[in-house]
């Protein structure tokens, strides 16, 4: 294409010599970007008589939509459940560092904490676009405190709460504000949960089931009232039983309302879930699988002791436990490691692995019209990866925000 | 006329592409002096387009100073429909080369005034200095572009109703649903193509053999509109062996010799 001045002021960039993930397949097509969005080049050619201003050779890379992490508790020494003075700079640091893992949007996650923490921290989290400064923030994920004592996992027991007295009002009082909240994880067997789920859903907040001893009927009822997600499937819930599959049974339940899909988070770090279990879940309900890291403050740091909200955790290799116990508490996996491990463990296609970290979380949050795909008019948040799914470069709104050292283009 | 017979589809496509490529290069197009090319759609020219793209990607051929005029487009089909000729040209040709979008002309089958659109197209060809080389195909019923049997051999760019044969042949591109196939199209006329300085017709496959026979061994006849090119000073028919199956051995031997 002649690189003459195109018809609009915004420069048009054409990424060539690449394979892009579109319509669930890797296709040999060029990717066109203008004004931070994916551009339709055919429309540009015929309607505007326009052409590219800049052509970039991607050296046969794979181009995929940027990863979206809907469960990340911190990293690089930063803990989102700690109300520190420099909380804002902490979240900025994490959002900047995770660009190298291919994450272009995320939901900072708070584990069960006392109300004072929510009241101090939540006002400091704002929904914002990503850029050179870091990945975009879609809103907070509040995991707890309305969860089951029996399945608290690494969450501190003294902070657990119920909402049997005032239902939604109790929840609101605990959190203080729901302005920038995107997801709430709760245990649906708790009394008055249906009302709470309905209220949250009405406000556009995604309700997730987790840290719970609910049976399948309770879980199905929660879905009927609006719940759409399962927090880290298999972990912190009753194990699958053939006469009561529990929450796990939602993957193949026939009581999901028409037109709705239940999504489920999987931490595929090789530790939280046995590969065989990962495969069972994936094969039972492939379109619902959402890769999450559940990363904690110690992610990205040397092994040793770190905090996770009110708890102290110990990191040893990829394993993270409540100090002195064998209770798993989050992970130190990065999103790109999870994608690679998921692909290896299930033997699925590259396209499937990539969509589990991009398209599916976008669909979960109802934002797939602008995130999670490379469709025309979507936000131009994308990654260049090599065939082994290592991230080589990260782009947000069409601009390069991270590049692997030693790569020229 | 010249009849160039190649062994198979690939070789015919390559011969045609090389011919077009050489014509453009010999012409030495430049700013203000464009090479004008008439272009077809359909299955037959796909191999030729692939080869032209290859020559472009090798750095041997640029379309920077080439103007193109497509033969036809369906009426009433949205421009971005996967079966529109705009989509065909974008996916099979334009997106792979360096042509200036302002120089790629295709009739607009959704124009508010279809005849005005056709007249404007004729004018654009005239303003471009006429067509240097018009590349076309042949339908099984001997039509060129959408000049169906019975079209005037002096016709110009206009609206045409498609013959039932054509609609049936096209159904496979519309999920086999006849109701989805367009019934009308805008097309350059036989006269429009005859005005080109040079014409190259691509004909491959046994199913086109009878049409080729009618086009070159029988008389000029509006029922087989490609036959009009018997009266054009510079026409080449490029075909594969299969397309010659209905010709007389004498004809084939003459042109092969």
């Amino acid at each position: 294409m002649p690189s003459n001045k195109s018809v609009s002021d915004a420069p048009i960039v054409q990424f060539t010599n690449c394979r892009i993930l579109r319509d669930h397949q890797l296709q040999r097509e060029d990717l066109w970007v203008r004004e931070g969005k994916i551009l339709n080049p055919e429309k540009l050619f015929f309607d505007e008589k326009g052409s590219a201003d800049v052509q970039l050779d991607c050296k046969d890379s794979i181009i995929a939509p940027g990863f979206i992490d809907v469960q990340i508790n911190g990293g690089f020494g930063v803990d989102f459940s700690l109300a520190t003075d420099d909380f804002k700079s902490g979240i900025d640091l994490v959002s900047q560092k995770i660009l190298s893992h291919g994450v272009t949007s995320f939901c900072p996650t708070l584990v069960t904490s006392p109300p004072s923490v929510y009241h101090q921290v939540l006002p400091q989290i704002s929904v914002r676009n990503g850029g050179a400064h870091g990945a975009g923030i879609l809103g907070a994920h509040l995991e707890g405190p309305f969860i089951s004592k029996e399945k608290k996992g690494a969450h501190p027991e003294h902070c657990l709460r119920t909402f049997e007295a005032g239902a939604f009002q109790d929840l609101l009082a605990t959190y203080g504000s729901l302005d920038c909240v995107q997801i709430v994880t709760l245990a649906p067997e708790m009394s008055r949960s249906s009302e709470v789920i309905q209220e949250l859903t009405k406000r556009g907040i995604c309700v997730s089931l987790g840290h719970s001893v609910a049976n399948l009927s309770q879980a199905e009822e929660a879905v009927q009232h609006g719940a759409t997600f399962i927090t880290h499937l298999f972990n912190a819930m009753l194990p699958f039983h053939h006469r009561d599959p529990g929450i796990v049974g939602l993957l193949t339940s026939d009581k999901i309302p028409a037109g709705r899909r239940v999504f489920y988070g999987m931490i595929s770090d090789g530790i939280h879930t046995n590969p065989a279990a990962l495969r069972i879940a994936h094969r039972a309900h492939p379109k619902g699988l959402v890769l999450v890291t559940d990363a904690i403050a110690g992610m990205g740091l040397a092994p040793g002791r770190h905090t996770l909200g009110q708890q102290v955790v110990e990191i040893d290799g990829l394993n993270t436990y409540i100090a002195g116990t064998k209770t798993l508490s989050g992970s130190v996996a990065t999103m790109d490691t999870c994608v690679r491990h998921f692909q290896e463990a299930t033997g699925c296609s590259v396209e499937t692995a990539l969509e589990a970290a991009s398209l599916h979380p976008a669909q979960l949050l109802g934002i797939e019209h602008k995130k999670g795909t490379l469709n025309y008019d979507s936000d131009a948040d994308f990654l260049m990866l090599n065939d082994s799914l290592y991230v080589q470069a990260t782009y947000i709104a069409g601009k390069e925000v991270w590049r692997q050292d030693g790569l020229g283009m | 006329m010249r009849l160039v017979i190649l062994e198979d589809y690939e070789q015919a496509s390559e011969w045609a592409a090389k011919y077009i490529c050489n014509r453009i290069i010999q012409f030495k197009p430049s700013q203000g002096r464009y090479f004008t090319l008439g272009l077809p759609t359909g299955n037959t020219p796909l191999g030729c387009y692939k080869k032209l793209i290859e020559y472009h990607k090798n750095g041997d051929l640029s379309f920077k100073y080439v103007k193109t005029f497509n033969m036809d487009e369906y009426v009433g089909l949205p421009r971005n429909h996967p079966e529109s000729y705009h989509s065909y040209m974008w996916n099979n040709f334009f997106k792979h080369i360096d042509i200036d979008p302002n120089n790629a002309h295709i009739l607009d089958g959704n124009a508010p005034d279809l005849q005005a659109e056709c007249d404007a197209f004729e004018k654009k060809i005239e303003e471009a200095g006429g067509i240097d080389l018009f590349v076309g195909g042949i339908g099984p019923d001997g039509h060129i572009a959408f000049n169906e049997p019975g079209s005037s051999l002096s016709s110009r760019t206009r609206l045409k109703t498609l013959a039932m044969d054509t609609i049936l042949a096209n159904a496979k591109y519309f999920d086999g649903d006849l109701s989805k196939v367009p019934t009308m199209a805008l097309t350059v006329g036989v006269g429009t193509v005859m005005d080109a300085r040079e014409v190259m017709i691509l004909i491959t496959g046994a199913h086109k053999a009878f049409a080729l026979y009618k086009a070159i061994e029988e008389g000029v006849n509006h029922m087989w509109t490609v036959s009009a090119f018997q009266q054009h000073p510079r026409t080449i028919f490029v075909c594969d062996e299969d397309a010659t199956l209905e010709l007389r051995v004498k004809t084939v031997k003459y042109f092969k010799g």
Side-chain angles (χ1 to χ4, degrees), chain A residues 216-382:
Chain A
L216 181 55
S217 329
Q218 288 164 328
E220 283 168 338
E221 201 186 313
V223 169
Q224 269 142 24
H225 288 288
T228 51
F229 197 41
I230 302 172
T231 300
H232 45 54
L233 187 78
F234 297 128
N235 300 104
M237 57 187 64
L238 292 176
F240 175 87
H241 184 283
H242 53 288
R243 275 189 294 278
D244 189 348
I247 291 176
V248 178
L250 284 177
L251 266 57
T252 47
S253 164
D254 57 358
K255 303 235 177 0
I256 312 293
R260 277 232 257 125
R261 187 189 304 174
V262 170
F263 292 87
Y264 56 99
M266 297 278 343
I267 307 173
S268 77
D269 59 351
I271 306 216
H272 279 74
T273 312
N274 182 294
L278 181 57
R279 285 190 287 272
I280 286 179
H282 169 63
R283 287 179 204 176
H285 183 29
K287 286 191 160 54
L289 199 149
V290 172
L291 292 175
V292 299
T293 59
D294 201 16
I296 58 165
M299 181 269 285
L301 301 182
R305 292 191 154 216
H306 298 279
T307 65
L308 176 61
Q310 312 295 307
Q311 306 271 44
V312 178
V313 304
E314 242 168 46
I315 297 171
D316 171 22
L318 281 178
N319 299 292
T320 68
Y321 301 111
I322 297 289
T325 74
K326 280 291 168 195
T327 304
L328 287 175
S329 56
S331 85
V332 288
T334 63
M335 186 56 110
D336 57 320
T337 327
C338 288
V339 170
R340 287 190 293 275
H341 181 264
F342 171 64
Q343 203 266 315
E344 267 170 51
T346 58
C348 69
S349 64
V350 159
E351 294 90 328
T352 303
L354 293 170
E355 287 190 335
S358 56
L359 174 65
H360 293 176
Q363 288 172 327
L364 165 71
L365 298 179
I367 55 175
E368 76 261 34
H369 55 284
K370 53 176 182 145
K371 300 261 188 232
T373 72
L374 296 178
N375 293 341
Y376 302 137
D377 300 327
S378 281
D379 291 352
D381 296 348
F382 57 90

Side-chain angles (χ1 to χ4, degrees), chain B residues 9-10 16 23 59 66 108 117 128 153 166 200 218 239 248 251:
Chain B
Y9 177 75
E10 279 70 39
R23 270 278 171 269
V66 173
D108 177 7
E117 169 69 11
L153 300 179
T166 306
M200 181 166 79
E218 300 270 295
C239 55
R248 292 163 87 204
T251 308

Side-chain angles (χ1 to χ4, degrees), chain B residues 158 160 182 220 245:
Chain B
R158 69 218 183 284
K160 276 295 282 182
V220 174
L245 286 174

Side-chain angles (χ1 to χ4, degrees), chain B residues 73-87 107-111 114 170 173-174 179-185:
Chain B
E73 175 60 287
Y74 290 116
V75 166
L77 205 57
R79 202 225 60 227
N80 60 357
H81 188 285
E83 293 301 325
S84 80
Y85 288 164
H86 281 77
S87 293
L107 285 156
D108 177 7
N110 293 301
L114 293 173
N170 285 344
Y173 301 119
F174 293 87
S179 65
K180 291 204 180 119
V181 185
T183 53
M184 296 201 290

Side-chain angles (χ1 to χ4, degrees), chain B residues 54-242:
Chain B
E54 196 187 295
Y55 303 151
H56 170 68
K57 292 223 191 292
N58 287 340
D60 296 330
L61 179 59
S62 165
F63 291 86
K64 193 159 176 224
Y65 298 114
V66 173
K67 284 188 177 162
T68 64
F69 291 87
N70 263 69
M71 293 184 128
D72 42 23
E73 175 60 287
Y74 290 116
V75 166
L77 205 57
R79 202 225 60 227
N80 60 357
H81 188 285
E83 293 301 325
S84 80
Y85 288 164
H86 281 77
S87 293
Y88 176 103
M89 290 307 297
W90 168 255
N91 285 311
N92 292 312
F93 198 45
F94 295 146
K95 82 175 174 196
H96 305 280
I97 57 170
D98 61 345
I99 190 165
D100 183 333
N102 289 298
N103 292 335
H105 302 281
I106 308 181
L107 285 156
D108 177 7
N110 293 301
D113 181 345
L114 293 173
Q115 193 49 53
E117 169 69 11
C118 294
D119 296 339
F121 200 72
E122 288 274 343
K123 197 125 207 301
K124 281 190 204 134
I125 293 176
E126 200 189 331
E127 280 160 5
I131 308 258
D132 291 306
L133 172 60
F134 217 126
V135 182
I138 188 175
D141 59 4
H143 71 233
I144 177 143
F146 276 129
N147 294 289
E148 307 281 50
S151 296
S152 162
L153 300 179
S154 324
S155 51
R156 310 302 307 184
T157 305
R158 69 218 183 284
L159 171 67
K160 276 295 282 182
T161 308
L162 301 182
M164 183 44 90
D165 273 355
T166 306
I167 293 173
L168 288 172
N170 285 344
K172 64 178 182 275
Y173 301 119
F174 293 87
D175 301 320
D177 184 350
L178 284 182
S179 65
K180 291 204 180 119
V181 185
T183 53
M184 296 201 290
L186 300 183
T187 177
V188 294
V190 182
T192 316
V193 183
M194 282 288 284
D195 280 353
R197 286 179 271 288
E198 189 172 7
V199 175
M200 181 166 79
I201 311 280
L202 297 178
I203 309 177
T204 56
H207 59 302
K208 300 281 175 86
F210 192 73
L212 177 58
Y213 148 65
K214 280 289 188 186
I216 65 175
E217 285 189 339
E218 300 270 295
V220 174
N221 188 321
H222 68 172
M223 285 315 215
W224 301 89
T225 48
V226 176
S227 64
F229 294 91
Q230 292 177 22
Q231 300 196 298
H232 188 285
R234 258 178 106 195
T235 294
I236 308 179
F237 286 83
V238 180
C239 55
D240 62 358
E241 293 280 356
D242 284 349

